[in-house]
Amino acid sequence: MNAPALAAGTLNPAQLEAVHHLSGPCLVLAGAGSGKTRVITHKIAKLLHTGLEPKQIAAITFTNKAAAEMRERARALVGPRAAKELVISTFHSLGVRMLRADGERIGLKPNFSILDSDDVLGVLRDCGGSSDNALARRWQWAISLWKNQGLDVDAAEAGAGSDDERVAARVMRRYQERLAAYQAVDFDDLIGLPLAMMQRDAEACARWQAAFGHVLVDEYQDTNAVQYALMKALVGCAPGSADSPPGRTPFTAVGDDDQSIYGWRGATIDNLKRLPREFPALKVIALEQNYRSTGHILRAANAVIASNPKLFEKKLWSELGEGEPVKVIECDSEEHEAERLVARIQALRGGKVGEGGSMKFADIAVLYRANHQARVFEQKLRAAQIPYKVSGGQSYFDRAEIKDLCAWLRLIVNNDDDPAFLRAVTTPKRGIGHQTLAALGEFAAKRKESLFEALFAPTLAAALKGKAIDGLHEFGRYANELEHRARHTTGSEDAKALLLQWLQDLRYEQYLYDSEDSDKLAQARWSNVLDFVDWIARRCGGEITQEGGTFESERHSVFEVAQTISIIISIAERGEDSDVVTLSTLHAAKGLEWPHVVLAGVNEGLLPFKGPETKGPLAASPPPPEGVESPGRAGSTQEMSAERLQEERRLMYVGITRAQRTLAVSWLKRRKRGRETVAGVPSRFLAEMKLDEVATKEDPRERLKRLRAELAARVQASEASAAKATEEVKAGAAT
DNA sequence: CATACATGAATTTTT
DNA sequence: TTCATGTATG
């Protein structure tokens, strides 16, 4: 992917300018497919060349995947030694690094733990005294948005406009107290607390400002207010250092306002608007040559985005020729859409669409607005025996069995991590039930201690029955022992032995088989667990055997590895190289590209998305009074806000610009709405694409072929399922 | 009253 | 797909 059309090592004039502007603040407006990663990596190389140490260069991204990719690209340019030392990390990892080093200055123990969003949800349910998941999730969203805007509890409370918001603010106050008691932080704190630390502690602030000689920020348009503040603090705009500015650290922000699609989670384009004002010396460079798409595709993209107000003028062009016209596909229903799509994929495979010969499945992507749209496509692709993957499927680390084990690791790393304690103490079940834990919780709360600390209090005996106490003590002793061993076990071999022993102690495998009614599922989970063990063990270093020999790498204790666990990337998306069609949401597709792209469900209401009601985190707008019909139902009377519409338009723009060679856009003439089907309206964005040739109707011959293929697929599918069924019966009989 | 099953509805996502 | 709600049954 991202194959540059230029000869290796060559940059176009705009790219060169961006790379060579080293002395001051620089904003690179990188249009889609304009070679932005190239610019960043070349700039890193250039900075090294001018004498900066690798560890003085910070490149900040949003995802671990992007960071890994960037390091990889940099490695090709500057070699493995330098690449390894470059500080290429996400905002969050950088935050962790800062807090582990200096968190104590704001009262955070160095071994604080990081709550993932499920943990947070649990704590919030607890704090709010509600078992309603949906409600807790709204609180979670609201609190996260507040934090992303840099608001603390007091500010949130003061700004709360509705009753719902006041409740959320109250829950937030208790939530923050809990976090402090647990010595835990949530993901948003990983940005906010380092910022607070720099603002409150001049010494640490100066040290971090001196640490970097240049700061690069990728996907700058996705930054939120707090991330921007942290960036400014790092480059020397923090209040604490105003008296002695020895010159700010130069920085490079790279982004594209036309691809800003995360406003709903706190990203703000204000950060782009403010940059020229707050850094008058800012050099703005636009990258407008596109190396990805052909003329028809690019023209459609430009035409759509032209309807948005412009922050910076920018128009993409390419030298790749006109290519194929964009195709519009009209469909009778979602099923019909999926079938026509399958037909198209088969045609592409046969080399009948576009000029190219045999296409790989991996060259094709189907993009849509909302996850649930994938369902029909999956069904039809399976029926046609076309391999596919769905992006954004739940990550490896979301799986229950992995979370179980992570809870144990978190607990030994930070004994005060109560959510981890609760999960670990109950998995596997060891006869410690709700009663016991509730009593322990009350006891701990009274003493303002964590659950684990309370465990060994001599006075606990008064609150609990002897048997319960014994169970708890047994658990506590074991956790302590495990912690001790984890601290002193290094190297992958010993680590693996320790971890396997631990699983045996827990009888975890047995537990999986007991709690899962299908043995097959239990088996799959157990194999996940073993993968996890291997993965941790590998990170403990020591002798590693790889192709090409055996290496001695730096040794880490299991304890150290466990400390980093919640922030580390999931096991790389294995099987990424396999030849499968991609199904993805538009959001998840950002930054990726395919030779052939289909945008599905480009309907009014779906692509400029319009929910049943206007939504904010807490705007679960109360139902209108009896007899009053609220606007914005089936009839599209209620207009969405201009901001919202513009973000939807940018989403469309992102979708279009994912395509390299061919693009098809499909929409539904009829949509199901509850029980009845209603007429579908093509998205306004379709008209905005200003396509001149439109081939919308299904050709009768194509239709015949599709029907025949569909029939064959059904026969095949039923045969396959029959075969599978008999096999399962056989397998069942065997066991 | 609690559990089992069916039915329907569904923004977008990372850390 | 998942999640929550409603109905029917014990």
Side-chain angles (χ1 to χ4, degrees):
Chain A
M1 293 217 196
N2 251 0
L6 292 170
T10 319
L11 297 167
N12 70 35
Q15 291 174 330
L16 266 179
E17 199 183 358
V19 168
H20 285 124
H21 187 79
L22 302 172
S23 54
C26 180
L27 171 61
V28 181
L29 294 163
S34 63
K36 117 198 126 135
T37 309
R38 249 171 100 68
V39 166
I40 294 176
T41 49
H42 278 259
K43 190 152 189 172
I44 289 172
K46 177 80 188 171
L47 287 164
L48 287 174
H49 203 69
T50 60
L52 281 186
E53 295 286 318
K55 64 173 198 291
Q56 291 180 286
I57 299 173
I60 308 178
T61 63
F62 275 86
T63 65
N64 288 309
K65 195 171 158 223
E69 247 168 56
M70 192 177 294
R71 192 183 297 280
E72 192 53 40
R73 295 274 298 268
R75 200 165 65 114
L77 227 50
V78 305
R81 281 193 85 88
K84 206 175 152 195
E85 284 179 58
L86 290 166
V87 182
I88 300 181
S89 76
T90 61
F91 270 105
H92 294 86
S93 327
L94 181 64
V96 172
R97 200 167 152 148
M98 295 175 72
L99 288 180
R100 294 258 185 245
D102 289 311
E104 278 178 296
R105 289 159 187 268
I106 51 170
L108 200 60
K109 285 196 287 189
N111 62 343
F112 64 87
S113 53
I114 301 165
L115 301 191
D116 72 16
S117 64
D118 278 357
D119 298 328
V120 170
L121 198 67
V123 175
L124 283 176
R125 270 196 313 254
D126 211 25
C127 291
S130 153
S131 56
D132 181 352
N133 252 333
L135 180 61
R137 234 183 279 274
R138 285 201 298 274
W139 289 333
Q140 188 178 12
W141 190 9
I143 291 169
S144 177
L145 275 182
W146 280 329
K147 286 191 175 186
N148 284 167
Q149 290 165 49
L151 304 178
D152 62 10
V153 186
D154 295 323
E157 204 157 47
S162 64
D163 281 347
D164 283 338
E165 282 184 332
R166 270 185 286 278
V167 172
R170 225 175 36 238
V171 173
M172 180 179 179
R173 185 174 296 285
R174 272 197 264 164
Y175 170 69
Q176 289 303 118
E177 285 164 5
R178 280 292 179 88
L179 290 190
Y182 292 171
Q183 285 290 306
V185 302
D186 62 27
F187 285 126
D188 300 314
D189 292 334
L190 294 179
I191 320 290
L193 291 180
L195 174 64
M197 187 264 291
M198 286 187 77
Q199 286 170 342
R200 296 223 303 251
D201 190 302
E203 194 275 316
C205 180
R207 193 152 34 75
W208 281 102
Q209 284 174 347
F212 302 120
H214 199 106
V215 176
L216 300 106
V217 180
D218 192 20
E219 303 283 13
Y220 179 73
Q221 77 284 348
D222 289 337
T223 52
N224 63 39
V226 181
Q227 285 159 340
Y228 178 52
L230 181 61
M231 181 196 93
K232 278 206 298 185
L234 282 172
V235 301
C237 276
S241 70
D243 47 314
S244 62
R248 290 164 172 167
T249 307
F251 68 86
T252 306
V254 184
D256 180 1
D257 46 322
D258 290 333
Q259 293 186 68
S260 157
I261 55 174
Y262 285 109
W264 52 272
R265 68 176 196 202
T268 168
I269 298 206
D270 270 5
N271 292 349
L272 260 168
K273 291 188 197 152
R274 287 158 59 174
L275 215 51
R277 270 189 277 135
E278 298 186 15
F279 297 87
L282 184 75
K283 177 90 178 167
V284 181
I285 298 162
L287 306 182
E288 297 176 296
Q289 181 172 5
N290 171 291
Y291 297 102
R292 179 184 295 158
S293 315
T294 53
H296 281 288
I297 293 166
L298 228 42
R299 244 196 328 276
N302 278 329
V304 166
I305 206 65
S307 303
N308 269 6
K310 288 278 158 181
L311 218 48
F312 301 92
E313 203 55 52
K314 174 161 58 62
K315 192 153 196 175
L316 294 181
W317 58 278
S318 103
E319 289 177 339
L320 299 181
E322 280 301 283
E324 298 269 317
V326 176
K327 195 159 187 180
V328 178
I329 302 176
E330 261 181 35
C331 310
D332 294 330
S333 65
E334 289 189 38
E335 288 74 22
H336 185 213
E337 182 180 48
E339 285 162 19
R340 287 196 70 178
L341 166 90
V342 166
R344 186 178 166 83
I345 291 174
Q346 282 163 339
L348 281 166
R349 266 291 260 203
K352 282 168 198 149
V353 178
E355 66 279 17
S358 67
M359 231 66 76
K360 289 184 296 177
F361 286 130
D363 290 340
I364 303 162
V366 184
L367 309 181
Y368 39 79
R369 179 59 228 263
N371 280 314
H372 70 264
Q373 293 175 264
R375 214 190 90 245
V376 190
F377 292 120
E378 286 191 74
Q379 220 172 64
K380 298 291 177 188
L381 286 169
R382 260 200 307 268
Q385 315 233 285
I386 295 172
Y388 66 88
K389 67 174 174 196
V390 185
S391 82
Q394 63 161 349
S395 125
Y396 182 75
F397 283 104
D398 289 338
R399 298 186 164 134
E401 62 275 20
I402 303 303
K403 289 191 137 180
D404 285 344
L405 305 186
C406 284
W408 272 88
L409 296 178
R410 277 165 47 201
L411 181 64
I412 62 169
V413 166
N414 175 7
N415 291 335
D416 300 335
D417 187 339
D418 284 358
F421 178 94
L422 289 173
R423 186 156 192 151
V425 83
T426 49
T427 44
K429 303 270 178 286
R430 52 170 55 71
I432 296 171
H434 276 102
Q435 301 284 339
T436 310
L437 290 175
L440 177 65
E442 205 176 312
F443 180 79
K446 232 178 266 163
R447 297 164 51 104
K448 294 199 195 311
E449 280 180 347
S450 68
L451 297 173
F452 197 85
E453 280 176 307
L455 210 58
F456 294 110
T459 49
L460 180 61
L464 276 167
K465 293 215 169 63
K467 205 175 150 207
I469 294 238
D470 289 346
L472 286 171
H473 282 173
E474 168 71 24
F475 171 78
R477 262 198 304 278
Y478 183 73
N480 277 333
E481 184 194 323
L482 185 64
E483 177 183 337
H484 178 79
R485 279 191 282 165
R487 279 184 192 276
H488 296 99
T489 305
T490 65
S492 58
E493 300 249 311
D494 293 347
K496 189 165 178 181
L498 168 63
L499 295 168
L500 289 176
Q501 180 61 49
W502 164 50
L503 290 172
Q504 209 170 72
D505 294 341
L506 293 186
R507 294 182 217 288
Y508 195 75
E509 187 175 13
Q510 193 55 47
Y511 164 74
L512 284 181
Y513 278 89
D514 290 345
S515 57
E516 201 64 61
D517 36 29
S518 139
D519 277 6
K520 230 167 150 185
L521 257 171
Q523 208 175 0
R525 291 166 146 240
W526 178 243
S527 108
N528 280 336
V529 169
L530 293 179
D531 280 350
F532 184 65
V533 166
D534 276 337
W535 180 77
I536 295 182
R538 233 176 304 126
R539 263 153 212 286
C540 291
E543 288 210 340
I544 309 246
T545 317
Q546 276 181 344
E547 47 179 324
T550 304
F551 303 94
E552 179 74 21
S553 73
E554 202 182 336
R555 282 171 181 273
H556 300 285
S557 71
V558 174
F559 188 85
E560 285 167 327
V561 172
Q563 277 186 320
T564 66
I565 215 129
S566 72
I567 201 73
I568 290 179
I569 189 172
S570 65
I571 296 190
E573 275 76 68
R574 291 161 294 164
E576 205 175 60
D577 44 300
S578 55
D579 184 26
V580 300
V581 172
T582 299
L583 303 182
S584 170
T585 61
L586 288 160
H587 283 93
K590 195 171 78 145
L592 305 176
E593 58 187 313
W594 295 268
H596 308 283
V597 169
V598 180
L599 301 183
V602 184
N603 275 65
E604 202 55 30
L606 209 52
L607 188 33
F609 184 88
K610 190 157 55 170
E613 266 123 54
T614 51
K615 276 272 174 99
L618 298 170
S621 45
E626 219 48 62
V628 179
E629 188 61 32
S630 82
R633 285 245 196 258
S636 58
T637 27
Q638 192 189 21
E639 262 312 311
M640 61 197 314
S641 81
E643 279 285 302
R644 295 278 317 221
L645 179 62
Q646 286 164 23
E647 185 154 311
E648 295 292 306
R649 186 176 281 116
R650 292 193 290 266
L651 206 46
M652 180 75 183
Y653 175 76
V654 165
I656 296 170
T657 53
R658 298 310 96 199
Q660 295 167 343
R661 306 234 321 265
T662 79
L663 175 66
V665 184
S666 73
W667 66 280
L668 309 167
K669 283 191 285 190
R670 275 182 310 216
R671 282 176 64 199
K672 275 199 275 280
R673 204 175 170 115
R675 207 157 291 256
E676 78 268 59
T677 51
V678 295
V681 181
S683 166
R684 67 192 81 181
F685 300 148
L686 212 50
E688 289 175 4
M689 288 169 86
K690 299 225 174 69
L691 306 174
D692 27 38
E693 310 159 55
V694 191
T696 60
K697 286 273 183 312
E698 186 172 22
D699 178 62
R701 278 162 57 187
E702 194 198 324
R703 178 179 161 79
L704 195 65
K705 243 172 68 188
R706 173 175 64 73
L707 289 174
R708 213 178 298 151
E710 173 67 9
L711 195 65
R714 276 191 205 189
V715 170
Q716 217 161 29
S718 67
E719 273 171 7
S721 77
K724 203 172 151 203
T726 46
E727 212 150 282
E728 262 163 28
V729 169
K730 272 188 217 158
T735 48

